[in-house]
Amino acid sequence: MTAVEQLYDMLKRAQEPKGYQFNRDRGRVEDLLAALLVNRQRYGYMCCPCRLASGDRDADRDIICPCVYREADVREFGSCYCNLYVTAAWNEKAPPHLYVPERRPPDKLPY
């Protein structure tokens, strides 16, 4: 079993009971999980692969996956910012899906 498959299984078991599913696009999910693993190797923590990290764990605490914005994003749009975590309804609905805007405050951006 690859590291991506292990992470997939672990997160699926942890997140499904909370009402979160992975995006039905398995390829996208695996790409995002692989990027999380790269970020863990790079920074020492799995920060969101769809955002720029600073490399400072305290500064990036809000974007460590699952990020603090996930709950509001999924509640409002049916998906988190990356489209990694989604609702069952989002998975059943044919695209197009609504764009999930960035909720991270500009003062937290590393640029």
Side-chain angles (χ1 to χ4, degrees):
M1 184 178 276
T2 69
V4 168
E5 291 169 331
Q6 289 175 340
L7 184 58
Y8 180 94
D9 288 345
M10 182 196 66
L11 292 176
K12 183 175 176 143
R13 283 192 311 273
Q15 299 304 319
E16 280 189 352
K18 297 175 184 177
Y20 299 102
Q21 294 185 1
F22 281 132
N23 185 328
R24 69 173 177 254
D25 182 343
R26 181 73 183 244
R28 177 163 176 78
V29 169
E30 288 178 356
D31 288 346
L32 289 167
L33 294 179
L36 283 171
L37 293 171
V38 167
N39 283 345
R40 183 172 67 187
Q41 184 176 19
R42 182 181 292 151
Y43 303 115
Y45 51 94
M46 291 193 302
C47 55
C48 176
C50 299
R51 295 178 166 106
L52 292 175
S54 69
D56 177 334
R57 185 182 184 97
D58 287 333
D60 293 339
R61 190 165 304 281
D62 63 320
I63 60 168
I64 294 174
C65 188
C67 73
V68 300
Y69 311 106
R70 177 186 69 170
E71 185 177 340
D73 287 347
V74 171
R75 184 176 51 249
E76 186 173 344
F77 298 99
S79 168
C80 71
Y81 184 67
C82 294
N83 303 135
L84 176 62
Y85 292 109
V86 300
T87 62
W90 191 95
N91 261 339
E92 294 165 5
K93 181 179 165 187
H97 293 102
L98 295 175
Y99 171 76
V100 179
E102 175 63 270
R103 288 183 191 268
R104 195 172 199 210
D107 64 320
K108 290 213 169 230
L109 301 176
Y111 47 87

